[in-house]
Amino acid sequence: MLNDMDKERLVKASQSADLFVQDLQALGKADNFLLANIAEELLKKAAQLEQRLLRVERVTHTE
């Protein structure tokens, strides 16, 4: 079970990850091929991180 402060931190991390994913999606459309390529690689890892945080959030809300 998470205390209120940990819940707040988890929500904040999830929201930050979501914003990061959105920014990387936009950067993936860059005209510079190398920049777009790097953004796409980072996007994969960022999306995985976001999904893990969301899963933790769901699990802790069911307690």
mmCIF file of all heavy atoms in Angstrom, residues 3-20:
data_model
loop_
_atom_site.group_PDB
_atom_site.id
_atom_site.type_symbol
_atom_site.label_atom_id
_atom_site.label_comp_id
_atom_site.label_asym_id
_atom_site.label_seq_id
_atom_site.Cartn_x
_atom_site.Cartn_y
_atom_site.Cartn_z
ATOM 1 N N ASN A 3 1.574 5.290 0.601
ATOM 2 C CA ASN A 3 1.081 6.436 1.364
ATOM 3 C C ASN A 3 0.753 7.560 0.380
ATOM 4 O O ASN A 3 1.026 7.468 -0.824
ATOM 5 C CB ASN A 3 2.092 6.863 2.435
ATOM 6 C CG ASN A 3 3.404 7.337 1.850
ATOM 7 O OD1 ASN A 3 3.454 7.933 0.788
ATOM 8 N ND2 ASN A 3 4.500 7.062 2.559
ATOM 9 N N ASP A 4 0.157 8.617 0.875
ATOM 10 C CA ASP A 4 -0.300 9.708 0.005
ATOM 11 C C ASP A 4 0.842 10.349 -0.771
ATOM 12 O O ASP A 4 0.685 10.679 -1.950
ATOM 13 C CB ASP A 4 -1.045 10.768 0.826
ATOM 14 C CG ASP A 4 -2.405 10.282 1.302
ATOM 15 O OD1 ASP A 4 -2.927 9.310 0.706
ATOM 16 O OD2 ASP A 4 -2.948 10.860 2.265
ATOM 17 N N MET A 5 1.988 10.521 -0.118
ATOM 18 C CA MET A 5 3.131 11.155 -0.780
ATOM 19 C C MET A 5 3.641 10.278 -1.926
ATOM 20 O O MET A 5 3.939 10.769 -3.017
ATOM 21 C CB MET A 5 4.261 11.417 0.210
ATOM 22 C CG MET A 5 5.460 12.101 -0.415
ATOM 23 S SD MET A 5 5.080 13.697 -1.164
ATOM 24 C CE MET A 5 5.141 14.730 0.265
ATOM 25 N N ASP A 6 3.705 8.967 -1.695
ATOM 26 C CA ASP A 6 4.149 8.060 -2.757
ATOM 27 C C ASP A 6 3.151 8.022 -3.899
ATOM 28 O O ASP A 6 3.544 7.953 -5.072
ATOM 29 C CB ASP A 6 4.365 6.659 -2.197
ATOM 30 C CG ASP A 6 5.610 6.557 -1.338
ATOM 31 O OD1 ASP A 6 6.462 7.473 -1.401
ATOM 32 O OD2 ASP A 6 5.733 5.562 -0.596
ATOM 33 N N LYS A 7 1.865 8.063 -3.614
ATOM 34 C CA LYS A 7 0.849 8.108 -4.663
ATOM 35 C C LYS A 7 1.019 9.359 -5.511
ATOM 36 O O LYS A 7 0.938 9.315 -6.738
ATOM 37 C CB LYS A 7 -0.552 8.084 -4.064
ATOM 38 C CG LYS A 7 -0.952 6.740 -3.505
ATOM 39 C CD LYS A 7 -2.344 6.812 -2.894
ATOM 40 C CE LYS A 7 -2.702 5.518 -2.195
ATOM 41 N NZ LYS A 7 -4.000 5.574 -1.526
ATOM 42 N N GLU A 8 1.256 10.476 -4.839
ATOM 43 C CA GLU A 8 1.448 11.741 -5.547
ATOM 44 C C GLU A 8 2.685 11.667 -6.445
ATOM 45 O O GLU A 8 2.660 12.120 -7.590
ATOM 46 C CB GLU A 8 1.595 12.882 -4.540
ATOM 47 C CG GLU A 8 1.717 14.245 -5.158
ATOM 48 C CD GLU A 8 1.815 15.354 -4.119
ATOM 49 O OE1 GLU A 8 1.218 15.224 -3.025
ATOM 50 O OE2 GLU A 8 2.502 16.347 -4.404
ATOM 51 N N ARG A 9 3.764 11.099 -5.932
ATOM 52 C CA ARG A 9 4.988 10.954 -6.730
ATOM 53 C C ARG A 9 4.761 10.061 -7.941
ATOM 54 O O ARG A 9 5.260 10.330 -9.036
ATOM 55 C CB ARG A 9 6.099 10.374 -5.860
ATOM 56 C CG ARG A 9 6.619 11.341 -4.835
ATOM 57 C CD ARG A 9 7.684 10.692 -3.970
ATOM 58 N NE ARG A 9 8.199 11.648 -2.995
ATOM 59 C CZ ARG A 9 8.400 11.360 -1.724
ATOM 60 N NH1 ARG A 9 8.156 10.142 -1.252
ATOM 61 N NH2 ARG A 9 8.866 12.276 -0.911
ATOM 62 N N LEU A 10 4.015 8.991 -7.754
ATOM 63 C CA LEU A 10 3.733 8.068 -8.843
ATOM 64 C C LEU A 10 2.893 8.745 -9.920
ATOM 65 O O LEU A 10 3.177 8.613 -11.118
ATOM 66 C CB LEU A 10 3.022 6.823 -8.310
ATOM 67 C CG LEU A 10 2.640 5.763 -9.329
ATOM 68 C CD1 LEU A 10 3.850 5.255 -10.093
ATOM 69 C CD2 LEU A 10 1.914 4.617 -8.628
ATOM 70 N N VAL A 11 1.878 9.468 -9.526
ATOM 71 C CA VAL A 11 1.038 10.188 -10.489
ATOM 72 C C VAL A 11 1.865 11.220 -11.246
ATOM 73 O O VAL A 11 1.775 11.330 -12.474
ATOM 74 C CB VAL A 11 -0.164 10.854 -9.778
ATOM 75 C CG1 VAL A 11 -0.876 11.829 -10.700
ATOM 76 C CG2 VAL A 11 -1.132 9.799 -9.269
ATOM 77 N N LYS A 12 2.699 11.930 -10.532
ATOM 78 C CA LYS A 12 3.545 12.949 -11.159
ATOM 79 C C LYS A 12 4.505 12.305 -12.159
ATOM 80 O O LYS A 12 4.694 12.813 -13.264
ATOM 81 C CB LYS A 12 4.321 13.715 -10.098
ATOM 82 C CG LYS A 12 5.127 14.860 -10.646
ATOM 83 C CD LYS A 12 5.792 15.637 -9.529
ATOM 84 C CE LYS A 12 6.630 16.762 -10.091
ATOM 85 N NZ LYS A 12 7.300 17.527 -9.033
ATOM 86 N N ALA A 13 5.099 11.178 -11.795
ATOM 87 C CA ALA A 13 6.008 10.477 -12.698
ATOM 88 C C ALA A 13 5.267 9.987 -13.937
ATOM 89 O O ALA A 13 5.784 10.079 -15.058
ATOM 90 C CB ALA A 13 6.670 9.315 -11.968
ATOM 91 N N SER A 14 4.062 9.476 -13.760
ATOM 92 C CA SER A 14 3.257 9.008 -14.900
ATOM 93 C C SER A 14 2.921 10.158 -15.839
ATOM 94 O O SER A 14 2.999 10.020 -17.064
ATOM 95 C CB SER A 14 1.969 8.351 -14.416
ATOM 96 O OG SER A 14 2.232 7.168 -13.738
ATOM 97 N N GLN A 15 2.542 11.278 -15.272
ATOM 98 C CA GLN A 15 2.202 12.447 -16.084
ATOM 99 C C GLN A 15 3.436 12.956 -16.832
ATOM 100 O O GLN A 15 3.354 13.317 -18.011
ATOM 101 C CB GLN A 15 1.616 13.550 -15.211
ATOM 102 C CG GLN A 15 0.251 13.223 -14.661
ATOM 103 C CD GLN A 15 -0.226 14.219 -13.617
ATOM 104 O OE1 GLN A 15 0.552 15.004 -13.073
ATOM 105 N NE2 GLN A 15 -1.521 14.177 -13.323
ATOM 106 N N SER A 16 4.568 12.972 -16.157
ATOM 107 C CA SER A 16 5.813 13.418 -16.796
ATOM 108 C C SER A 16 6.205 12.481 -17.928
ATOM 109 O O SER A 16 6.649 12.936 -18.991
ATOM 110 C CB SER A 16 6.940 13.496 -15.766
ATOM 111 O OG SER A 16 6.664 14.475 -14.793
ATOM 112 N N ALA A 17 6.053 11.187 -17.705
ATOM 113 C CA ALA A 17 6.373 10.211 -18.749
ATOM 114 C C ALA A 17 5.464 10.400 -19.952
ATOM 115 O O ALA A 17 5.919 10.316 -21.104
ATOM 116 C CB ALA A 17 6.255 8.794 -18.190
ATOM 117 N N ASP A 18 4.202 10.682 -19.703
ATOM 118 C CA ASP A 18 3.246 10.918 -20.794
ATOM 119 C C ASP A 18 3.671 12.134 -21.614
ATOM 120 O O ASP A 18 3.678 12.089 -22.848
ATOM 121 C CB ASP A 18 1.841 11.109 -20.235
ATOM 122 C CG ASP A 18 0.824 11.414 -21.317
ATOM 123 O OD1 ASP A 18 0.691 10.594 -22.250
ATOM 124 O OD2 ASP A 18 0.169 12.471 -21.243
ATOM 125 N N LEU A 19 4.046 13.204 -20.946
ATOM 126 C CA LEU A 19 4.491 14.411 -21.657
ATOM 127 C C LEU A 19 5.768 14.150 -22.446
ATOM 128 O O LEU A 19 5.926 14.620 -23.580
ATOM 129 C CB LEU A 19 4.707 15.564 -20.670
ATOM 130 C CG LEU A 19 3.445 16.140 -20.040
ATOM 131 C CD1 LEU A 19 3.804 17.157 -18.961
ATOM 132 C CD2 LEU A 19 2.558 16.772 -21.092
ATOM 133 N N PHE A 20 6.679 13.375 -21.862
ATOM 134 C CA PHE A 20 7.929 13.035 -22.529
ATOM 135 C C PHE A 20 7.651 12.228 -23.798
ATOM 136 O O PHE A 20 8.245 12.483 -24.848
ATOM 137 C CB PHE A 20 8.828 12.270 -21.562
ATOM 138 C CG PHE A 20 10.219 12.014 -22.073
ATOM 139 C CD1 PHE A 20 10.981 13.022 -22.635
ATOM 140 C CD2 PHE A 20 10.774 10.756 -21.970
ATOM 141 C CE1 PHE A 20 12.265 12.781 -23.102
ATOM 142 C CE2 PHE A 20 12.056 10.499 -22.424
ATOM 143 C CZ PHE A 20 12.802 11.516 -22.997
#
